Amino acid sequence: MGRHSCCYKQKLRKGLWSPEEDEKLMNHITKHGHGCWSSVPKLAGLQRCGKSCRLRWINYLRPDLKRGAFSQDEEDLIIELHAVLGNRWSQIAAQLPGRTDNEIKNLWNSCIKKKLRQKGIDPNTHKPLAEVDRSKATPTMSTDRTSESSDVDPSSGVALHNLSHLLSETAESSELLPVKVTKPRTQAPGLTRLKVPPKELFLDQLTTGHENLPSCRSSAPIPNFPFQQLLCYNNDFSSMDAGSRNSLWYNQNESSSSTISTVMPPVSPSALSTSMGLNLPPENPRHGGTGIGNAPFYWDGSNPSSSGSTGSSGSNSMGFEPQSTTSILENSVFPWTDIGQEKDTRVHSVEELKWPDLLHGTFAEATTAMQNQSQSLYDDVIKAESQFNMEGICASWFQNQQPQQQLQAASDIIDLNTSSSVKDPTVSWKRQLWPYEWQKKG
DNA sequence: AAATGTTCCAACCGCTTCGGT
DNA sequence: TACCGAAGCGGTTGGAACATT
């Protein structure tokens, strides 16, 4: 292999994207979809290779991206997911709606790794550093791809247990393991360079039909992560209030109140990998064997069968019977009943809300109190920046899309066993309410 | 104020996987 | 089943922004 074939062509631009390029790409994809990425640059009038266009779209221009600093909940979730998934950034990103794998990878490498080390935790193995040092002194056979592999240690169950202990301990007595508080930049990244999209662009996209909305495999809604209370970093998990516990979990699908989860019994690592579509061979020393079984797992199958929106059987792919809805609710398993909305309004600062957030909050949830709140918060922004009324268009489109969205969400979950990415190319745009440009350079 | 060091992130590169033929 | 092109993924890097001296 080598360079992508299109990159051999001369006169292809590299490096940072200009606003003009972004606009061209955005306009093109909004109107025509991306189709074959290799043909996008030509059709859009860009001197870029298709691969570059794809990356730009996925990591930057995609309307459903959430920008701004990661919340603590998001960081916690990333750590938990990394403990299970290792450096499978795309799979981790799939559990954090609006975040890209690249973004998460960067966060991990630049920030989270450091924090974990400062807490005495090895970010690669999620074990205490002392323990890792000891094991290095007495090396064992390993089939890790690299010595610096960040993949999960084979004994991740033990590791998680230890990490859980450490984290809960340090949370209470941080002076024992002082954590240097990294100075935040004067403004959150992504905020300093915000540029309001040109009105022409909005108008153009507003008046463009969405029947040809582009697809993006990696941005397709991913089935909700099948674990609820996946890894209990706090030993005393039950002491957490429902809000904080569930705050890590929020629904990707706006219509999720109809989605019923299933609490699953502890399972084996092999079952885990199978169900998650991780393609982890049971003998894989990084994931299989003795590890995860040591940790208490509870499943949130996000089983569409009980949602009423599909006609599938009452048990999930693992053959477990779902708990009753009542018991689940009583156990506060649902993160997205009310908590999600509360969280949204709490977590998002005004500055952090982007067009997609704004539109979701303003138009998509038309009957909620949150809508009123968001509306009042961002009315000024809308009026000042766009100077025209988007509400009707977006609302009507959302109404058109929502039923499909629900069904798709359900079928996506069914597909959980088969793949980490959803193949239906139409899915992603069902979630995308607004073509926009969120240009950081400005 | 300038020089230097550090951090962060967008984008690139190369490999793997997927899907069509 | 093999081949090939496209897409996806994760590691790495260049450089802008920021912090420190």
Side-chain angles (χ1 to χ4, degrees):
Chain A
M1 276 278 191
R3 260 185 153 186
H4 195 264
S5 58
C6 65
C7 300
Y8 286 115
K9 294 174 185 170
Q10 295 300 310
K11 292 197 295 183
L12 289 184
R13 272 175 57 84
K14 288 172 69 176
L16 296 178
W17 281 64
S18 69
E20 291 75 25
E21 288 178 305
D22 280 345
E23 189 177 341
K24 281 182 181 177
L25 182 60
M26 173 64 89
N27 277 334
H28 173 77
I29 292 182
T30 304
K31 286 178 182 170
H32 307 108
H34 63 68
C36 173
W37 279 111
S38 56
S39 64
V40 164
K42 189 181 175 185
L43 296 172
L46 291 163
Q47 304 291 320
R48 296 270 181 177
C49 72
K51 203 171 178 179
S52 181
C53 292
R54 176 185 160 272
L55 208 63
R56 184 63 179 175
W57 173 257
I58 289 172
N59 286 336
Y60 203 84
L61 295 174
R62 231 172 65 202
D64 61 349
L65 287 182
K66 188 198 294 182
R67 292 264 167 198
F70 279 74
S71 68
Q72 189 57 51
D73 284 349
E74 284 177 312
E75 284 191 24
D76 292 342
L77 180 54
I78 290 168
I79 293 169
E80 292 179 8
L81 291 169
H82 187 273
V84 177
L85 297 169
N87 288 4
R88 293 175 178 83
W89 303 116
S90 61
Q91 290 185 30
I92 293 174
Q95 310 309 321
L96 287 127
R99 301 296 190 181
T100 68
D101 54 352
N102 208 30
E103 207 176 3
I104 292 169
K105 183 170 60 181
N106 282 334
L107 180 75
W108 180 266
N109 288 326
S110 67
C111 185
I112 295 180
K113 256 182 167 179
K114 209 180 303 172
K115 284 183 184 175
L116 287 177
R117 286 206 181 99
Q118 286 163 346
K119 289 182 177 180
I121 297 162
D122 180 62
N124 295 332
T125 62
H126 293 257
K127 283 181 177 179
L129 280 170
E131 191 174 325
V132 174
D133 289 343
R134 257 184 281 127
S135 65
K136 275 182 184 171
T138 57
T140 56
M141 292 287 286
S142 170
T143 55
D144 278 358
R145 285 170 295 186
T146 66
S147 58
E148 178 62 18
S149 169
S150 304
D151 284 340
V152 179
D153 189 271
S155 56
S156 55
V158 176
L160 292 168
H161 173 78
N162 291 333
L163 181 56
S164 160
H165 175 70
L166 255 174
L167 284 177
S168 60
E169 185 176 63
T170 53
E172 289 172 3
S173 55
S174 58
E175 69 276 7
L176 294 176
L177 291 165
V179 178
K180 177 189 168 192
V181 177
T182 52
K183 263 191 212 170
R185 300 210 171 186
T186 49
Q187 284 180 286
L191 301 180
T192 56
R193 303 174 227 164
L194 291 178
K195 184 186 119 188
V196 176
K199 287 177 193 173
E200 293 78 7
L201 182 59
F202 278 109
L203 278 170
D204 190 28
Q205 288 157 357
L206 263 180
T207 54
T208 302
H210 53 268
E211 63 276 5
N212 293 322
L213 289 171
S215 62
C216 175
R217 275 212 278 180
S218 70
S219 66
I222 306 298
N224 287 331
F225 198 66
F227 311 117
Q228 189 73 40
Q229 306 168 356
L230 172 61
L231 305 165
C232 305
Y233 276 72
N234 283 303
N235 285 334
D236 185 12
F237 199 69
S238 60
S239 66
M240 298 170 66
D241 63 88
S244 62
R245 189 187 333 172
N246 287 322
S247 63
L248 294 179
W249 302 91
Y250 45 94
N251 183 29
Q252 301 172 19
N253 308 306
E254 290 75 13
S255 55
S256 58
S257 56
S258 64
T259 304
I260 307 297
S261 294
T262 305
V263 174
M264 318 254 306
V267 296
S268 69
S270 59
L272 160 69
S273 38
T274 303
S275 178
M276 292 180 65
L278 294 183
N279 299 320
L280 301 178
E283 309 307 324
N284 187 333
R286 288 181 284 123
H287 298 275
T290 61
I292 297 172
N294 293 341
F297 276 94
Y298 297 91
W299 291 80
D300 169 13
S302 295
N303 189 348
S305 63
S306 47
S307 70
S309 60
T310 69
S312 54
S313 68
S315 60
N316 50 56
S317 60
M318 301 283 300
F320 295 113
E321 294 299 321
Q323 249 185 12
S324 74
T325 303
T326 307
S327 66
I328 293 167
L329 289 170
E330 283 171 356
N331 290 330
S332 304
V333 172
F334 287 123
W336 49 74
T337 48
D338 294 322
I339 297 158
Q341 292 182 354
E342 287 171 12
K343 176 185 182 302
D344 280 348
T345 57
R346 181 165 37 86
V347 169
H348 287 296
S349 67
V350 172
E351 294 81 7
E352 281 178 352
L353 259 186
K354 306 302 180 290
W355 283 109
D357 303 289
L358 189 154
L359 289 162
H360 279 263
T362 308
F363 305 126
E365 299 167 327
T367 59
T368 64
M370 180 189 172
Q371 182 221 10
N372 297 331
Q373 191 176 358
S374 301
Q375 182 106 36
S376 63
L377 274 173
Y378 306 115
D379 263 356
D380 289 345
V381 180
I382 298 169
K383 287 170 185 168
E385 305 294 0
S386 63
Q387 298 287 321
F388 50 79
N389 185 356
M390 311 174 284
E391 187 166 355
I393 295 167
C394 293
S396 63
W397 185 38
F398 181 80
Q399 283 168 6
N400 289 337
Q401 295 300 318
Q402 199 166 19
Q404 285 178 304
Q405 197 174 324
Q406 291 176 359
L407 289 173
Q408 185 60 50
S411 63
D412 288 347
I413 294 166
I414 294 171
D415 286 339
L416 188 61
N417 276 336
T418 61
S419 174
S420 61
S421 60
V422 178
K423 303 303 179 192
D424 180 359
T426 67
V427 168
S428 62
W429 272 89
K430 292 173 185 171
R431 300 178 58 230
Q432 295 169 2
L433 297 178
W434 183 249
Y436 79 115
E437 180 189 20
W438 195 254
Q439 180 55 261
K440 284 174 76 177
K441 302 279 180 188

